[in-house]
Amino acid sequence: MGHYRSNSTNSHNFTLTFDNEKIGELIYQKWYSFAAKILMTNGKEYQLEPRGFWESTIELKEGEAILLEFKMGWKGIVIKTYFDNEEKHFLLKLKGLLSNKFVLLDDNNEELMVAETDFKWSKLNFDYTIETTQNFDNFTNEKLLLLSVLHCINYYMTVIVAAA
């Protein structure tokens, strides 16, 4: 099991760490934007770009190649990954109605990851504590998927706040 932490230095930047070692960053161009980029510590850069009339689908791209896409569904956020030319499906949803925990499920409804949000009122931003299962840790590109899931959670909270 992996124990990760994501801290927001401001409303635009999130740093993901494992055992106090930086893995990568999720960087938003502006507050409440669905467009962002992911910078990994190995120097690789990825773009998160909204698509469609209502910007309802978000794609993770490396250059022109689409590696992942997600959109809001009735049960939560539906995520499709295309790593290594293999399509996988996931569902990200709140663990309970009034919960501050998000859970990532696979096609078999198996829990792969739990992210707990911690809102910092003094800074008006979120920090996250993330626990992954062994099955999640065995995925190809699991760290890139984690940063993408952080974007999904931020997207979810933005859409919910805008709808309220």
Side-chain angles (χ1 to χ4, degrees):
M1 279 183 54
H3 301 281
Y4 297 85
R5 189 109 181 103
S6 177
N7 298 90
S8 176
T9 52
N10 55 36
S11 307
H12 300 93
N13 299 352
F14 292 82
T15 302
L16 181 66
T17 58
F18 179 76
D19 285 340
N20 294 321
E21 187 175 321
K22 185 177 172 181
I23 293 170
E25 291 181 85
L26 173 62
I27 302 168
Y28 291 93
Q29 297 169 357
K30 57 186 176 182
W31 196 50
Y32 277 105
S33 173
F34 294 144
K37 68 180 172 179
I38 292 176
L39 296 175
M40 303 301 287
T41 54
N42 65 5
K44 288 201 170 196
E45 184 174 321
Y46 304 89
Q47 300 299 318
L48 287 154
E49 299 174 355
R51 182 174 52 102
F53 182 73
W54 298 104
E55 296 186 338
S56 58
T57 299
I58 308 292
E59 295 176 334
L60 174 69
K61 293 182 171 184
E62 181 178 25
E64 292 300 313
I66 298 171
L67 303 176
L68 176 148
E69 66 181 24
F70 69 86
K71 63 181 173 181
M72 189 75 81
W74 287 107
K75 294 182 180 183
I77 293 181
V78 178
I79 302 170
K80 292 181 191 177
T81 63
Y82 307 104
F83 300 128
D84 299 328
N85 295 319
E86 182 181 357
E87 185 174 324
K88 291 188 179 181
H89 299 240
F90 304 95
L91 179 66
L92 179 70
K93 66 179 192 170
L94 277 172
K95 195 154 180 139
L97 183 60
L98 299 174
S99 178
N100 67 335
K101 293 182 181 180
F102 288 83
V103 60
L104 183 69
L105 305 170
D106 66 8
D107 280 340
N108 300 321
N109 219 24
E110 181 181 326
E111 197 171 284
L112 299 171
M113 181 215 83
V114 175
E116 184 173 359
T117 60
D118 181 18
F119 185 68
K120 303 291 184 189
W121 283 100
S122 60
K123 299 178 188 175
L124 294 176
N125 61 24
F126 284 94
D127 290 341
Y128 300 95
T129 303
I130 303 164
E131 290 191 29
T132 60
T133 64
Q134 187 65 46
N135 286 343
F136 184 90
D137 295 338
N138 291 333
F139 285 154
T140 303
N141 296 312
E142 80 281 358
K143 291 170 180 64
L144 179 58
L145 180 55
L146 269 178
L147 283 158
S148 300
V149 167
L150 284 177
H151 184 63
C152 291
I153 294 170
N154 291 335
Y155 174 84
Y156 182 92
M157 290 192 286
T158 300
V159 168
I160 295 304
V161 166

